[in-house]
Amino acid sequence: MELAPGVHVAITDRNGGVGAPPYGSRNLGGMVGDDPEVVRANRAGLVAELGVRAVVFMRQVHSADVAYVSEPFGDDPPPLDGVFTTEPRLALASLGADCPAVLVADPVARMVGAAHSGRPGTEAGIATALVTAMAGKGAEPGRMVALIGPGACGRCYEVPADMREKVAAKVPAAWSTTSWGTPALDLRAGIEAQLKAAGVSDVRHDARCTIESQELYSHRREQPTGRFAGLIWLA
């Protein structure tokens, strides 16, 4: 899908790869317990399917750390949760199984970025950190367009009341209540508020809830499970 002129995004699902249950066939994760050969084959197949020269995967640790990249990290990526680039046909991946991907582009500056924004990362402000890092390299938030990928929705993402209080103290828009009336977090609303506060007015959504959408991986719905990816790249 074209997010902006010359900017492409994709959201994978659990189908179309080489794996087996309970991981579906397209696990991209590389988590503890995953079959490394299956993950390697699925990642290689993704490069071919997207028609890119490579995909950058992070070692996601729920931080607010961001780095500029011009090549993949290799087999031992550093711990961080945001990457950005000006390199064409270098896809940036955010893996998730309930945590939304944040995909950002300035099509004029020819710069794209990806972040992994789970609960701790949203609380720490990874989306804001990504926009700030891109702006530091010449992008302008007012020109940016963002896509927030699938994640556990505010109707389903139940948390303890004290956790909701803690997160909402930093990200008020994340306060939510489940459909059955218990404390919850709406990470999508929180991330959108952070992006808009950083100057990104064009914020779009793949609003699927991972807990409700069987075609996506969800750590909350089933364990063990794999990881799907939100990806962004320059044509």
Short mmCIF file of all heavy atoms in Angstrom, two decimals, residues 97-100 149-158 185-188 208-211 218 220:
data_model
loop_
_atom_site.label_atom_id
_atom_site.label_comp_id
_atom_site.label_asym_id
_atom_site.label_seq_id
_atom_site.Cartn_x
_atom_site.Cartn_y
_atom_site.Cartn_z
N ALA A 97 2.80 -8.58 18.42
CA ALA A 97 1.80 -9.62 18.64
C ALA A 97 0.77 -9.08 19.62
O ALA A 97 0.19 -9.82 20.38
CB ALA A 97 2.44 -10.88 19.18
N ASP A 98 0.60 -7.79 19.64
CA ASP A 98 -0.36 -6.97 20.38
C ASP A 98 0.12 -5.52 20.43
O ASP A 98 -0.67 -4.61 20.63
CB ASP A 98 -0.61 -7.44 21.83
CG ASP A 98 -1.46 -8.70 21.90
OD1 ASP A 98 -2.38 -8.84 21.06
OD2 ASP A 98 -1.19 -9.55 22.77
N CYS A 99 1.44 -5.30 20.29
CA CYS A 99 2.02 -3.95 20.34
C CYS A 99 1.94 -3.30 18.96
O CYS A 99 2.41 -3.88 17.98
CB CYS A 99 3.48 -4.00 20.77
SG CYS A 99 3.77 -4.75 22.38
N PRO A 100 1.38 -2.09 18.85
CA PRO A 100 1.25 -1.47 17.54
C PRO A 100 2.61 -1.03 16.95
O PRO A 100 3.50 -0.58 17.67
CB PRO A 100 0.38 -0.23 17.82
CG PRO A 100 -0.29 -0.51 19.11
CD PRO A 100 0.67 -1.34 19.90
N GLY A 149 -0.24 0.69 13.26
CA GLY A 149 -0.65 -0.65 12.86
C GLY A 149 -1.55 -1.32 13.86
O GLY A 149 -1.92 -0.76 14.90
N PRO A 150 -1.94 -2.58 13.59
CA PRO A 150 -2.83 -3.31 14.48
C PRO A 150 -2.22 -3.50 15.86
O PRO A 150 -1.00 -3.60 16.01
CB PRO A 150 -3.00 -4.66 13.77
CG PRO A 150 -2.62 -4.42 12.35
CD PRO A 150 -1.58 -3.35 12.39
N GLY A 151 -3.08 -3.58 16.86
CA GLY A 151 -2.65 -3.83 18.23
C GLY A 151 -3.84 -4.19 19.09
O GLY A 151 -4.99 -4.16 18.63
N ALA A 152 -3.58 -4.54 20.33
CA ALA A 152 -4.67 -4.81 21.27
C ALA A 152 -5.47 -3.53 21.48
O ALA A 152 -4.92 -2.50 21.84
CB ALA A 152 -4.10 -5.32 22.59
N CYS A 153 -6.77 -3.59 21.26
CA CYS A 153 -7.57 -2.37 21.28
C CYS A 153 -7.98 -2.00 22.71
O CYS A 153 -7.87 -2.81 23.64
CB CYS A 153 -8.81 -2.52 20.39
SG CYS A 153 -10.14 -3.50 21.12
N GLY A 154 -8.47 -0.79 22.86
CA GLY A 154 -8.85 -0.28 24.16
C GLY A 154 -10.05 -0.97 24.77
O GLY A 154 -10.29 -0.85 25.98
N ARG A 155 -10.81 -1.71 23.98
CA ARG A 155 -11.95 -2.48 24.50
C ARG A 155 -11.52 -3.84 25.06
O ARG A 155 -12.27 -4.48 25.79
CB ARG A 155 -12.99 -2.72 23.40
CG ARG A 155 -13.55 -1.46 22.76
CD ARG A 155 -14.60 -1.83 21.70
NE ARG A 155 -14.08 -2.80 20.73
CZ ARG A 155 -13.37 -2.49 19.65
NH1 ARG A 155 -13.07 -1.21 19.41
NH2 ARG A 155 -12.95 -3.43 18.82
N CYS A 156 -10.29 -4.28 24.67
CA CYS A 156 -9.83 -5.63 25.02
C CYS A 156 -8.58 -5.66 25.90
O CYS A 156 -8.32 -6.68 26.55
CB CYS A 156 -9.51 -6.41 23.74
SG CYS A 156 -10.92 -6.74 22.67
N TYR A 157 -7.81 -4.58 25.90
CA TYR A 157 -6.51 -4.59 26.57
C TYR A 157 -6.68 -4.29 28.06
O TYR A 157 -6.45 -3.18 28.53
CB TYR A 157 -5.57 -3.59 25.89
CG TYR A 157 -4.15 -3.61 26.39
CD1 TYR A 157 -3.64 -4.67 27.14
CD2 TYR A 157 -3.29 -2.56 26.12
CE1 TYR A 157 -2.35 -4.69 27.59
CE2 TYR A 157 -1.98 -2.55 26.56
CZ TYR A 157 -1.52 -3.63 27.29
OH TYR A 157 -0.21 -3.63 27.74
N GLU A 158 -7.09 -5.31 28.79
CA GLU A 158 -7.34 -5.17 30.22
C GLU A 158 -6.02 -5.11 30.99
O GLU A 158 -5.09 -5.88 30.73
CB GLU A 158 -8.16 -6.36 30.71
CG GLU A 158 -8.56 -6.29 32.17
CD GLU A 158 -9.40 -7.47 32.61
OE1 GLU A 158 -9.15 -8.59 32.10
OE2 GLU A 158 -10.32 -7.27 33.42
N LEU A 185 -6.20 -0.09 28.66
CA LEU A 185 -5.40 0.93 27.99
C LEU A 185 -5.72 0.93 26.50
O LEU A 185 -5.88 -0.14 25.89
CB LEU A 185 -3.90 0.67 28.18
CG LEU A 185 -3.36 0.88 29.59
CD1 LEU A 185 -1.92 0.38 29.68
CD2 LEU A 185 -3.44 2.35 29.98
N ASP A 186 -5.81 2.11 25.94
CA ASP A 186 -6.00 2.30 24.50
C ASP A 186 -4.70 2.86 23.95
O ASP A 186 -4.51 4.08 23.89
CB ASP A 186 -7.18 3.23 24.23
CG ASP A 186 -7.54 3.30 22.75
OD1 ASP A 186 -6.68 2.97 21.90
OD2 ASP A 186 -8.67 3.70 22.44
N LEU A 187 -3.76 1.97 23.59
CA LEU A 187 -2.46 2.43 23.11
C LEU A 187 -2.60 3.22 21.81
O LEU A 187 -1.88 4.19 21.59
CB LEU A 187 -1.53 1.24 22.90
CG LEU A 187 -1.15 0.44 24.14
CD1 LEU A 187 -0.14 -0.65 23.78
CD2 LEU A 187 -0.59 1.35 25.23
N ARG A 188 -3.53 2.81 20.96
CA ARG A 188 -3.72 3.51 19.68
C ARG A 188 -4.06 4.98 19.91
O ARG A 188 -3.47 5.86 19.29
CB ARG A 188 -4.84 2.82 18.90
CG ARG A 188 -5.22 3.49 17.59
CD ARG A 188 -6.32 2.71 16.90
NE ARG A 188 -5.92 1.33 16.73
CZ ARG A 188 -5.05 0.90 15.83
NH1 ARG A 188 -4.47 1.77 15.02
NH2 ARG A 188 -4.75 -0.38 15.74
N ARG A 208 -7.38 -2.82 13.20
CA ARG A 208 -7.68 -4.17 13.65
C ARG A 208 -7.14 -4.42 15.05
O ARG A 208 -6.03 -3.99 15.39
CB ARG A 208 -7.08 -5.20 12.69
CG ARG A 208 -7.78 -5.31 11.36
CD ARG A 208 -7.08 -6.29 10.44
NE ARG A 208 -5.78 -5.78 10.01
CZ ARG A 208 -4.90 -6.50 9.30
NH1 ARG A 208 -5.18 -7.76 8.98
NH2 ARG A 208 -3.75 -5.97 8.94
N CYS A 209 -7.93 -5.10 15.85
CA CYS A 209 -7.49 -5.51 17.18
C CYS A 209 -6.85 -6.89 17.07
O CYS A 209 -7.47 -7.83 16.56
CB CYS A 209 -8.68 -5.55 18.14
SG CYS A 209 -8.28 -6.26 19.76
N THR A 210 -5.63 -7.01 17.55
CA THR A 210 -4.94 -8.30 17.45
C THR A 210 -5.63 -9.39 18.26
O THR A 210 -5.64 -10.56 17.86
CB THR A 210 -3.49 -8.15 17.92
OG1 THR A 210 -3.45 -7.45 19.17
CG2 THR A 210 -2.66 -7.38 16.90
N ILE A 211 -6.23 -9.02 19.39
CA ILE A 211 -6.91 -10.02 20.22
C ILE A 211 -8.15 -10.55 19.51
O ILE A 211 -8.49 -11.73 19.63
CB ILE A 211 -7.27 -9.41 21.58
CG1 ILE A 211 -5.99 -9.03 22.34
CG2 ILE A 211 -8.09 -10.38 22.42
CD1 ILE A 211 -6.23 -8.26 23.62
N SER A 218 -1.40 -12.78 18.44
CA SER A 218 -1.73 -12.07 19.67
C SER A 218 -1.18 -12.85 20.86
O SER A 218 -1.60 -13.98 21.12
CB SER A 218 -3.24 -11.91 19.83
OG SER A 218 -3.55 -11.43 21.14
N ARG A 220 -1.67 -12.04 23.90
CA ARG A 220 -2.73 -12.10 24.91
C ARG A 220 -3.74 -13.21 24.61
O ARG A 220 -4.29 -13.81 25.53
CB ARG A 220 -3.47 -10.77 24.98
CG ARG A 220 -2.67 -9.69 25.70
CD ARG A 220 -3.54 -8.98 26.70
NE ARG A 220 -2.73 -8.29 27.70
CZ ARG A 220 -3.24 -7.73 28.78
NH1 ARG A 220 -4.54 -7.79 29.02
NH2 ARG A 220 -2.47 -7.12 29.65
#
